[in-house]
Amino acid sequence: MPKNSKVAKRELDDDVVDSVKDLLSNEDSCEESFKKSELMVQDELDKDRDIEDGSDIDDERPAWNSKVQYILAQVGFSVGLGNVWRFPYLCQKNGGGAYLVPYLILLLVIGIPVFFLELSVGQRIRRGSIGVWNYISPKMGGIGFSSCIVCLFVALYYNVIIGWSLFYFSQSFQHPLPWDQCPLVKNASYTYIEPECEKSSATTYYWYREALNISNSISEGGGLNWRMTLCLLAAWIMVCLAMIKGIQSSGKVMYFSSLFPYLVLTCFLVRALLLNGSVDGIRHMFTPKLEIMLEPKVWREAATQVFFALGLGFGGVIAFSSYNKRDNNCHFDAVLVSFINFFTSVLATLVVFAVLGFKANIMNEGCISENAAKIVRLLHAGNLSQSVIPHHVNFSSITVQDYQLVYDIIKKVKEEEFDALGLAACQIEDELNKSVQGTGLAFIAFTEAMTHFPASPFWSVMFFLMLVNLGLGSMFGTIEGITTPIVDTFKIRKEPLTVGCCLMAFCIGLLFVQRSGNYFVTMFDDYSATLPLLVVVILETVAVSWVYGIDKFMDDLKDMLGFTPYKYYYYMWKYVSPILLAILLISSVVQMGITPPGYYAWIDETATEERLSYPTWGLFLCVLLIVLALLPVPLVFIVRFFNLIDDSSGSLASVSYKRGRIIKEISNPEEDDASLIHEKIQSEMPSPNIGNSIYRKQNGSPSLKVDTAPNGRYGIGYLMADMPDMPESDL
């Protein structure tokens, strides 16, 4: 039905009609120009009907093809590399199975409520993070800009990790795997094992020397690693092609990128359970250490993991939910995705510790063989008496139980001289207690375990393809958190914006593929996201609960969902979640103060990692990352509180937000009436200015005093003095 039909004209917002009639009531009803102006104003405002009016009309905004596609997108964004290499490490470090208790509690009081809040505001307002927080409170609009900056910082180094995975994936089509054995160095007279590799291990050497070709410190750039540069370029091309059409293209990719990791994890779990020692790893993992669970550090790390596991504050959650239908049950989505994320972490932990249990048994067998040979040499040298060795023990094929028996006997007999003998206990728990996380788990520990798998190249291909898919799923949400707010705010075409963002990010990302690039990845991971995201999420809950109003927000949810959410969320959003997040922020700042900024550098002479402090410029860069991410929050607040932007300047920075829509300011106020008559597109329509604007009258308002945003608060340039005697000419 045409928008300018009589029926369409009757379907107007009552408030808008009343406001226009009030303003035009003193005019000559016979004047055709005013009649035409009124009709055209109504038609334009009909097009501008938004979520506040309950309209489903949102011109040119894409939507998910199906609910399944949307859920897969949210799952793909929230389930990432941290589920595979961060959660298992924290679980093993912080009490094993007992760690799941604080994690679940914090998931219920922080994770699900804040996740539900972000889903709700995105779906209700149908904008990216910038538009959403401008709608909630224009003065707090900097929250959205901070989210975009953090997304950019994270995308810069996160895609480097995908590039690393692509490199290992490309090298996995070999048998034996290239990191299976230490390389040999041929000299004129003899051949010997590479000393750096011999001091560490084959997988460690391959990671630091062959893959990264790492320098000894962050100050030694060392030039670009051309192989990693090509992998980074391939990673950005993949992201660009998947995101260039927005959710129309990325949504289809989600079917593979979100589901394939579960197939691989399931296959790995089945295969690992059939390996010797896997049960030892799982038993070690889930043996609860209740005394550790009571430490404050465990709760702080559990809260941080909950926070980052769901991708809170990035803007990706808001961006994805903004493409939903208005009546979608986002509460169900929040609970479903949160628990899928949790169970994925548990599944990944089972796989990791089953594989590490197998690896620990392999390492333990090597330890036993080496120390059994030492005992035989001690017997031949006469340092030990054959009489102390049980007769049934066979050193050529000694079992774990027999070695422990012999070890305990020798320790008891040679109590004073035992340390000088140099014998190791060779207990599997010692191997399992070696905490490994992040790149160390994926590119060193796991790769070493897979060299002992039958058909190891196949499993290596599957593992690194899974890492690529996990990384891409998170990257899609991260890039969406950048592009969607910019498209919604500045009305830029998505295709060139996506290509431009990816090209710019690749150029900046060259910092991470030089020889010292791994140290910059660590820096960005430690300082570009943690504190800024905590501040962003705290401000999100405060903006909704205290600025916009928690009661009004609950009414909005009832209108949108068709039912009132549990009162539980009322108290979580208003009190519990902000307080707990503030405590987490304070503890994170204190922790940073206690632990001086530093990084672990690989020293090739000793073939070990050594903790070094950042140079002065490195410390400045750490602080700069935090400041740049948080700067938009106070900047936007100051600009809008003091109304520093001139509404008549005509610049792109001068924008007004009304019903979640952005309107460019027009520098020539005399063109306002003409723009209404000639049906200029929405992005070119002027926002209200003093004396030449049409205002919407609030329900129950006896007089027209000021123009307010739909949330009852003032937007940019909306704070005006009462003008009861406004002349007709100003209309």
Side-chain angles (χ1 to χ4, degrees):
M1 180 177 62
K3 283 190 177 277
N4 59 354
S5 67
K6 294 182 179 180
V7 177
K9 290 173 184 174
R10 284 197 292 267
E11 295 175 351
L12 300 175
D13 185 342
D14 293 338
D15 292 344
V16 177
V17 177
D18 290 344
S19 300
V20 174
K21 288 180 178 178
D22 289 342
L23 291 169
L24 300 177
S25 59
N26 294 326
E27 298 298 329
D28 185 359
S29 60
C30 296
E31 238 180 85
E32 290 299 321
S33 60
F34 279 100
K35 287 182 179 180
K36 183 175 181 180
S37 177
E38 181 180 3
L39 289 175
M40 299 315 299
V41 170
Q42 290 179 348
D43 186 61
E44 289 296 328
L45 292 176
D46 184 60
K47 291 180 181 179
D48 190 49
R49 293 179 68 205
D50 207 323
I51 48 91
E52 175 110 347
D53 307 309
S55 174
D56 290 328
I57 297 173
D58 199 351
D59 294 340
E60 298 182 0
R61 188 166 191 82
W64 297 103
N65 291 333
S66 66
K67 180 66 174 280
V68 173
Q69 194 178 91
Y70 163 68
I71 293 296
L72 289 177
Q74 291 286 15
V75 169
F77 176 54
S78 65
V79 175
L81 298 173
N83 297 76
V84 175
W85 67 33
R86 177 70 176 165
F87 186 89
Y89 160 76
L90 291 175
C91 206
Q92 181 254 2
K93 172 187 173 185
N94 295 319
Y99 173 75
L100 300 180
V101 176
Y103 185 88
L104 273 174
I105 292 174
L106 292 168
L107 180 66
L108 293 173
V109 298
I110 293 180
I112 294 178
V114 178
F115 192 55
F116 179 30
L117 183 143
E118 291 198 355
L119 289 178
S120 302
V121 296
Q123 181 176 309
R124 173 73 177 174
I125 303 171
R126 294 178 65 79
R127 292 292 178 273
S129 55
I130 295 177
V132 159
W133 299 112
N134 274 295
Y135 177 90
I136 295 293
S137 174
K139 292 185 181 66
M140 301 187 74
I143 297 174
F145 290 97
S146 288
S147 293
C148 288
I149 293 174
V150 172
C151 280
L152 175 62
F153 287 160
V154 172
L156 290 175
Y157 75 85
Y158 204 86
N159 224 24
V160 175
I161 301 174
I162 298 177
W164 294 343
S165 302
L166 285 173
F167 173 77
Y168 268 81
F169 172 75
S170 66
Q171 298 298 307
S172 297
F173 295 91
Q174 305 177 45
H175 185 73
L177 291 169
W179 51 83
D180 187 27
Q181 300 291 335
C182 283
L184 299 176
V185 180
K186 294 183 180 180
N187 205 334
S189 56
Y190 63 95
T191 301
Y192 59 94
I193 298 175
E194 171 64 48
E196 186 179 354
C197 183
E198 191 174 21
K199 293 175 185 176
S200 53
S201 68
T203 51
T204 304
Y205 174 82
Y206 189 86
W207 166 241
Y208 284 115
R209 190 56 52 214
E210 296 293 336
L212 299 180
N213 192 20
I214 200 165
S215 61
N216 285 342
S217 73
I218 195 172
S219 301
E220 301 175 22
L224 292 179
N225 182 337
W226 68 269
R227 291 190 295 183
M228 285 303 174
T229 303
L230 292 178
C231 290
L232 179 63
L233 177 61
W236 276 115
I237 289 175
M238 292 168 62
V239 171
C240 183
L241 292 177
M243 297 298 300
I244 195 166
K245 293 292 185 181
I247 63 171
Q248 283 89 349
S249 54
S250 65
K252 295 179 176 62
V253 179
M254 289 295 177
Y255 285 107
F256 180 76
S257 64
S258 297
L259 294 177
F260 181 74
Y262 291 96
L263 174 64
V264 175
L265 286 174
T266 304
C267 293
F268 259 99
L269 181 60
V270 173
R271 184 66 188 91
L273 290 175
L274 299 176
L275 297 172
N276 181 38
S278 60
V279 177
D280 295 328
I282 294 176
R283 185 188 303 115
H284 176 82
M285 158 65 212
F286 285 103
T287 300
K289 305 175 184 66
L290 299 177
E291 66 282 359
I292 298 179
M293 188 186 72
L294 300 178
E295 297 178 5
K297 180 188 69 171
V298 175
W299 289 81
R300 179 177 62 83
E301 293 186 345
T304 305
Q305 179 62 18
V306 167
F307 184 84
F308 286 104
L310 294 174
L312 304 177
F314 282 94
V317 173
I318 294 175
F320 279 151
S321 64
S322 71
Y323 299 112
N324 270 331
K325 293 181 179 179
R326 185 173 177 271
D327 59 350
N328 174 63
N329 189 349
C330 54
H331 175 254
F332 171 80
D333 300 341
V335 176
L336 177 65
V337 174
S338 298
F339 279 101
I340 287 177
N341 185 289
F342 171 69
F343 288 119
T344 303
S345 298
V346 174
L347 174 62
T349 302
L350 286 171
V351 173
V352 167
F353 275 88
V355 173
L356 292 182
F358 165 70
K359 172 180 173 287
N361 270 271
I362 296 291
M363 301 299 292
N364 199 50
E365 289 174 3
C367 177
I368 289 175
S369 299
E370 181 181 344
N371 283 272
K374 285 184 181 180
I375 294 175
V376 171
R377 289 195 294 270
L378 291 172
L379 290 172
H380 290 327
N383 295 331
L384 283 177
S385 173
Q386 186 68 44
S387 60
V388 302
I389 306 299
H391 298 292
H392 70 279
V393 174
N394 181 6
F395 284 104
S396 60
S397 58
I398 189 170
T399 63
V400 176
Q401 292 77 13
D402 287 346
Y403 177 78
Q404 291 299 326
L405 177 62
V406 172
Y407 179 85
D408 292 338
I409 291 174
I410 295 175
K411 187 175 183 179
K412 188 174 183 180
V413 172
K414 296 284 187 178
E415 184 175 356
E416 296 181 357
E417 308 170 15
F418 183 76
D419 292 338
L421 299 178
L423 296 177
C426 295
Q427 294 183 345
I428 193 172
E429 286 76 13
D430 295 336
E431 286 292 332
L432 290 171
N433 281 326
K434 293 178 181 178
S435 300
V436 183
Q437 67 158 323
T439 54
L441 176 62
F443 299 107
I444 297 177
F446 230 85
T447 51
E448 183 174 349
M450 283 187 294
T451 58
H452 302 287
F453 276 30
S456 55
F458 168 78
W459 293 104
S460 182
V461 167
M462 294 286 283
F463 176 72
F464 289 109
L465 186 58
M466 178 191 71
L467 290 188
V468 170
N469 277 273
L470 284 171
L472 286 176
S474 297
M475 275 298 296
F476 294 158
T478 304
I479 297 298
E480 200 70 52
I482 301 173
T483 58
T484 296
I486 295 177
V487 168
D488 289 344
T489 303
F490 300 105
K491 305 304 179 187
I492 302 173
R493 288 186 59 197
K494 190 127 190 174
E495 294 85 350
L497 175 64
T498 303
V499 173
C501 283
C502 292
L503 183 61
M504 179 193 69
F506 169 72
C507 294
I508 301 175
L510 295 176
L511 173 71
F512 303 101
V513 290
Q514 55 182 339
R515 290 186 60 199
S516 60
N518 186 48
Y519 306 137
F520 287 98
V521 171
T522 302
M523 175 192 290
F524 272 66
D525 189 35
D526 289 341
Y527 296 99
S528 70
T530 306
L531 290 182
L533 284 180
L534 281 172
V535 174
V536 164
V537 175
I538 291 171
L539 292 177
E540 285 181 358
T541 55
V542 170
V544 170
S545 301
W546 296 94
V547 180
Y548 183 80
I550 189 65
D551 295 315
K552 184 175 181 182
F553 185 63
M554 295 295 281
D555 291 339
D556 289 345
L557 290 181
K558 182 180 179 181
D559 177 59
M560 182 174 68
L561 302 177
F563 63 89
T564 303
Y566 300 114
K567 202 71 173 177
Y568 167 82
Y569 292 106
Y570 179 96
Y571 296 107
M572 291 297 110
W573 288 331
K574 192 169 185 179
Y575 303 111
V576 180
S577 295
I579 292 173
L580 291 179
L581 287 168
I583 293 173
L584 178 59
L585 175 64
I586 294 170
S587 63
S588 298
V589 172
V590 171
Q591 181 64 26
M592 284 186 176
I594 295 175
T595 306
Y599 63 100
Y600 284 95
W602 178 257
I603 310 300
D604 53 4
E605 291 84 2
T606 60
T608 57
E609 284 186 330
E610 181 180 338
R611 183 169 176 83
L612 302 178
S613 298
Y614 285 114
T616 304
W617 61 265
L619 293 173
F620 173 77
L621 186 55
C622 292
V623 175
L624 185 63
L625 290 174
I626 298 174
V627 171
L628 286 178
L630 292 176
L631 186 61
V633 175
L635 191 62
V636 172
F637 180 84
I638 293 172
V639 166
R640 293 181 176 172
F641 184 82
F642 294 103
N643 199 19
L644 299 180
I645 295 180
D646 183 7
D647 288 345
S648 62
S649 64
S651 66
L652 282 176
S654 179
V655 294
S656 298
Y657 291 88
K658 189 168 186 177
R659 296 191 177 278
R661 296 181 182 271
I662 182 168
I663 304 171
K664 275 198 286 186
E665 299 292 352
I666 303 290
S667 57
N668 185 2
E670 295 178 358
E671 296 178 358
D672 287 359
D673 293 336
S675 68
L676 295 176
I677 296 173
H678 291 94
E679 297 186 356
K680 289 195 175 184
I681 60 173
Q682 184 179 350
S683 61
E684 297 174 347
M685 288 176 58
S687 64
N689 290 317
I690 298 177
N692 56 8
S693 300
I694 294 179
Y695 298 88
R696 297 192 180 189
K697 177 180 165 185
Q698 301 298 307
N699 287 333
S701 177
S703 61
L704 187 66
K705 296 183 179 179
V706 294
D707 178 37
T708 62
N711 57 4
R713 271 158 273 281
Y714 302 106
I716 303 179
Y718 284 7
L719 187 58
M720 302 161 52
D722 293 345
M723 295 178 291
D725 299 320
M726 183 167 57
E728 295 176 358
S729 59
D730 286 343
L731 292 175

